Amino acid sequence: MNIDFSHIADLFGTPTYVYDASEIRKRIRMVCSVFKGHEFSILFALKANSNSALLRLMAEEGVGADVVSSGELVAAKRAGMKPVLWNGNGKTVQDKKFFVKQGFDILSLDSVEELEMWHDSDLVKLLRVNPNIDARTHPHISTGMKHHKFGVAVEEIHKVADKIDGLHVHIGSQITSVEPYRAAYTQLVEEIKKHNFKTLDLGGGWGIDYNGESLDIDQMRSVINTVFSGFSGRLIVELGRFIAGPAGSLLTRVVKVKKGEKTFIVTDAGMNNLIRPALYDAFHRIRVLEPVGPASLCDVVGPLCETGDKLGSNRYLELPAEGSLLLVEDTGAYGFSMASNYNGMPLPAEVMWEDNSPRLIRRRQTIEEMYSNVILD
Ligand code: LLP
């Protein structure tokens, strides 16, 4: 799809997240193809992106929601997503009241203790299991080892087996090998048979191609088909990054090109808009849309007062001119959703590109709005 980024920048300014609707639809269909032949539900993990306009498009494709807060529940409901699953290791009594009032479908219990909170409810209840498996991803986004705070050991399942409907496992995010999945699912399928459970939530975490490595979807299909060949219940998958990540780009304008031993390309987007490079040393491809000079060694940095405020380090990029546009790619997941007002910066705009035209799906925040809940007197 040829997105007219320069038209978008003229219409809505920068920095702006731009999402390609057709890419989202295409990726949802890829997920469907993995589960063909099984009874399955695809949920989108709203923590990756909770813009209800994008979510509505997913709902049209039959996608439900994995939510972790009352805020995400509202976004999912506005978009008409169904079913809704509530995940989380710290569900509060206030949240519970809100969720029960609004209505939702599936609950993932993070502990045996949590069951007490729900003994009188007839929701579908899953127990999150911690399979003690290394997902071989960034330590901050690895969740399936016994020293991590999530889930309960397989040995605990029997304590609540007669009060739950199934199991849930999520071992981490940006996983690029199928082997940790195979190991986790093989453990769970044994437990499922033992207790005759009818539902299994396989979590998310499918790794995308930020820099040449990604999860092999054909291998994933083969793991699912092999491990679950004798299982006739419902499989659930809760994916964030895989569905939205490659569909989004952060469009930003070059503020300065500062030449020296290393050239610094200063953009109007920084760690306030996209924190992944600063927080995880994450790599995102950067595309210079209107190059004017030869390839040079560059750091692409934001305008914030912090050395970690970078979008990319040590890149060979054809030099842009001041005022021209850059794209930071694969930022549809965990981009806007992790943005902040750090350094007094309003949140960026979001635009959806569909049927060859741009549609504003979130206005840029104004300074007024940013401070609207501050109490001065
Ligand atoms: N299910 C559970 C229980 C999760 O905790 C997560 C993500 C997902 C599903 C979706 O994972 P995905 O398919 O998107 O990998 N901020 C980090 C990612 C944190 C992921 C947290 N949990 C980043 O920017 O890489």
Side-chain angles (χ1 to χ4, degrees), residues 103-295:
F104 69 111
D105 310 285
I106 312 165
L107 179 70
S108 168
L109 303 163
D110 190 67
S111 62
V112 169
E113 292 81 353
E114 196 191 322
L115 192 60
E116 274 174 40
M117 229 170 127
W118 295 100
H119 62 89
D120 56 345
S121 126
D122 55 2
L123 291 158
V124 173
K125 296 190 201 79
L126 310 178
L127 178 68
R128 180 156 173 184
V129 175
N130 183 323
N132 195 24
I133 281 167
D134 184 359
R136 293 176 238 156
T137 182
H138 190 286
H140 287 187
I141 55 176
S142 177
T143 50
M145 298 192 69
K146 69 174 181 227
H147 61 273
H148 296 141
K149 66 176 181 175
F150 299 105
V152 305
V154 175
E155 296 75 37
E156 310 251 319
I157 298 172
H158 72 96
K159 294 186 186 162
V160 293
D162 58 334
K163 298 182 189 70
I164 59 176
D165 306 282
L167 301 177
H168 171 209
V169 65
H170 173 78
I171 54 176
S173 195
Q174 185 54 21
I175 299 171
T176 53
S177 157
V178 294
E179 292 315 319
Y181 285 113
R182 191 198 305 277
Y185 298 163
T186 306
Q187 268 187 38
L188 290 202
V189 88
E190 291 306 311
E191 295 300 317
I192 284 208
K193 282 187 201 146
K194 204 176 349 174
H195 300 289
N196 199 20
F197 291 138
K198 295 281 179 272
T199 307
L200 180 57
D201 179 347
L202 305 173
W206 298 9
I208 62 169
D209 177 6
Y210 286 114
N211 196 13
E213 228 190 310
S214 60
L215 190 80
D216 185 314
I217 295 307
D218 294 325
Q219 283 181 19
M220 195 64 188
R221 182 182 300 112
S222 135
V223 167
I224 303 274
N225 285 337
T226 313
V227 179
F228 299 111
S229 61
F231 176 64
S232 59
R234 170 160 68 142
L235 295 175
I236 297 176
V237 70
E238 42 185 40
L239 294 164
R241 189 186 322 261
F242 184 83
I243 292 173
S249 303
L250 175 58
L251 177 63
T252 172
R253 217 178 258 293
V254 175
V255 177
K256 270 291 166 274
V257 180
K258 193 169 147 186
K259 292 189 182 136
E261 198 173 311
K262 184 190 268 178
T263 297
F264 289 98
I265 300 174
V266 186
T267 62
D268 62 4
M271 66 192 287
N272 54 314
N273 304 120
L274 177 69
I275 201 174
R276 303 193 71 257
L279 190 59
Y280 312 118
D281 221 3
F283 181 95
H284 287 268
R285 288 187 196 93
I286 295 178
R287 199 141 61 88
V288 179
L289 291 184
E290 302 140 326
V292 292

Side-chain angles (χ1 to χ4, degrees), residues 2-14 16 18 251-253 287 289-290 323-327 351 353 358:
N2 260 339
I3 300 183
D4 189 346
F5 289 106
S6 124
H7 181 50
I8 292 175
D10 289 345
L11 285 177
F12 307 111
T14 55
T16 292
V18 182
L251 177 63
T252 172
R253 217 178 258 293
R287 199 141 61 88
L289 291 184
E290 302 140 326
S324 66
L325 296 169
L326 289 191
L327 273 189
V351 165
W353 181 265

Side-chain angles (χ1 to χ4, degrees), residues 277 282 284 286 298-301 310-315:
H284 287 268
I286 295 178
C298 305
D299 274 7
V300 182
V301 300
K310 57 177 181 182
L311 299 175
S313 310
N314 296 323
R315 306 290 178 89

